Amino acid sequence: MAKVTRRGVLAGAAAVGGATAGLGLSSATAAADAARTGAPGAVTVGPGDTRYASLTRRGSNARFVGTPDYVRVASSTRDVVDAVQRAVDEGRRVAVRSGGHCFENFVDDPAVKALIDLSPMSSVSYDARRRAFAVEPGALLGEVYRRLFLGWGVTVPAGATAEVGVGGHVLGGGYGALSRRYGLSVDHLYAVEVVVVDERGRARSVVATREPGDPHRDLWWAHTGGGGNFGIVTRYWFRSPGAKGSDPSRLLPRAPESVLSFSASWSWKDLHRQSFTRLVTNHGGWYEHNSAPGSPYAGLFGVLMLNNRRFGTVDLVGQIDATDAGARRLVDDYVAAVGAGVRARPTRTMEARPWLQAAAAVQESEPTYYKAKAAYLRRRFTDRQTDELYAHLSSEAGGAADGSVWLVSYGGQVNAVAPGETAVAQRDSVLKAIYLTSWRSPDAEGAALGWVRDLYRAVYADTGGVPVPGAVSDGSFINYPDADLTDPALNTSGTPWHTLYYKDHYARLQSVKARWDPRDEFRHALSVRLPE
């Protein structure tokens, strides 16, 4: 499981910039593009080019390798507009890649014939006119953290995996180690610049903000958790709601000075059903009681990694803002509460590190074969669900596959935002559950997929094999996409896949789709469908 673990899986204008017709660019975009120096401009790479293999194998999931007719490497919004227009004119299915961490084959689908690569678009800057920080989609989270912190001492609450690209991460909501204190990435999203295609097939860029009077505000809202369904984002602007003045250091949350990283590991040799059940129940109960906005534990982020027996240990890992009053005591109390009544004693570590060192270490991981499934949790697992977790994780049923269930911190300030304020509909959950399996060769795929699908279906057997919104679960997370949810053999609940991801927001997202992508140019297996 090591490669998947490194990747983390965690892991998402004061005035409106006008957009011209046809191949138009917003005035802000034109100015920004004109100011670039040294950029190579758009580059087209086809199958005969020595760069093609690298560009088509940039995805983190080795299960999927695309074969587009060409890859268009873009350095500016103008490049993206031109690339989209060319694909539309040629009738080629288009997809976009920034960091390359999509779990499914949305980018590498065989139907995709024109791939637009945004990796050169990695600028992070302060836009004085909008009083907001402009971030391009190709920037990796680690570099965003680094530049915001070194330049202004601020940050955006986002993912715990530094090598993830901003482009797709923010679109699904964006969460991470600081979200319990500061909310989701999209809770600080002020504006987006999006390349869209109108009903005549003409590409253009549009800037949409959260300003109440913005005629494009629906497009901004759809990008606060609605996924990549409406166009290609070429720039994000961040400014916290209610931030006043023009001092950049006061317009986003202050980054911590340092963090305490901690771990507690229980050996599977010492874990029996009763101890395992106690760990899972304690952990879920702790989050039920300590996830309100403003909790003393708001600065604490933790992940209970329920690794299968062949991995050797069950691990509790996380971090806390070291400047919080009594930070070490809070960690000690947390670990003690999770381990209360468990006969086995954990092996523990704790280390203080500067925040930037902890958050911004970018390490490129080699692609690996994996499958992920997910759910939001409103409360702890039921006894029956915990029994299923033990049965699957304690056995050798996974064969040669690695498998884990991660229970990841959520709630806190995330739940202080009303569901309708953003496209993220799940605003009263306390944990995210991530079901993972990885394997080392294509030959092992069948057994690994069978293991994780059986586990997921067993945990949610009471609701048709999927986490239907209810007392315990609250659907799934679009940034951990799972095409299985569309399969009636695996989802027998009668609840559509889009309800699991978007709940009551889906109809509103369809309306935005109809306005901004009426030709359905931007589509994939789990994309928002045009209304019938």
Side-chain angles (χ1 to χ4, degrees), residues 69-92:
D69 294 343
Y70 58 81
V71 180
R72 186 80 162 173
V73 183
S75 296
S76 68
T77 299
R78 186 178 299 277
D79 290 345
V80 176
V81 171
D82 291 345
V84 170
Q85 189 63 65
R86 173 181 171 181
V88 171
D89 290 346
E90 295 171 342
R92 299 182 196 271

Side-chain angles (χ1 to χ4, degrees), residues 360-373:
V362 176
Q363 176 184 350
E364 284 291 335
S365 299
E366 290 293 326
T368 191
Y369 301 92
Y370 65 89
K371 171 69 176 178
K373 302 168 81 67

Side-chain angles (χ1 to χ4, degrees), residues 151-203:
W152 302 275
V154 300
T155 192
V156 173
T161 303
E163 68 187 63
V164 166
V166 169
H169 179 74
V170 174
L171 294 177
Y175 84 104
L178 295 179
S179 289
R180 281 169 57 86
R181 172 153 286 167
Y182 296 125
L184 303 177
S185 303
V186 294
D187 297 339
H188 302 266
L189 183 64
Y190 177 72
V192 287
E193 178 179 64
V194 192
V195 174
V196 297
V197 178
D198 65 20
E199 65 279 357
R200 298 173 299 159
R202 307 307 295 167

Side-chain angles (χ1 to χ4, degrees), residues 115-132:
L115 174 59
I116 301 175
D117 189 296
L118 304 182
S119 55
M121 298 179 65
S122 59
S123 172
V124 179
S125 61
Y126 178 65
D127 182 340
R129 186 170 75 88
R130 288 193 170 89
R131 295 192 305 114

Side-chain angles (χ1 to χ4, degrees), residues 279-345:
L279 273 178
V280 176
T281 301
N282 288 347
H283 180 264
W286 188 92
Y287 279 95
E288 287 180 17
H289 294 102
N290 294 284
S291 296
S295 163
Y297 291 94
L300 187 147
F301 173 81
V303 184
L304 181 61
M305 297 178 171
L306 302 173
N307 309 305
N308 64 359
R309 184 180 292 274
R310 68 185 305 274
F311 190 86
T313 58
V314 168
D315 304 313
L316 181 65
V317 302
Q319 69 178 50
I320 191 171
D321 187 334
T323 63
D324 282 0
R328 289 181 179 271
R329 176 184 57 78
L330 292 173
V331 171
D332 287 342
D333 290 348
Y334 171 59
V335 175
V338 174
V342 178
R343 291 184 178 180
R345 288 188 172 275

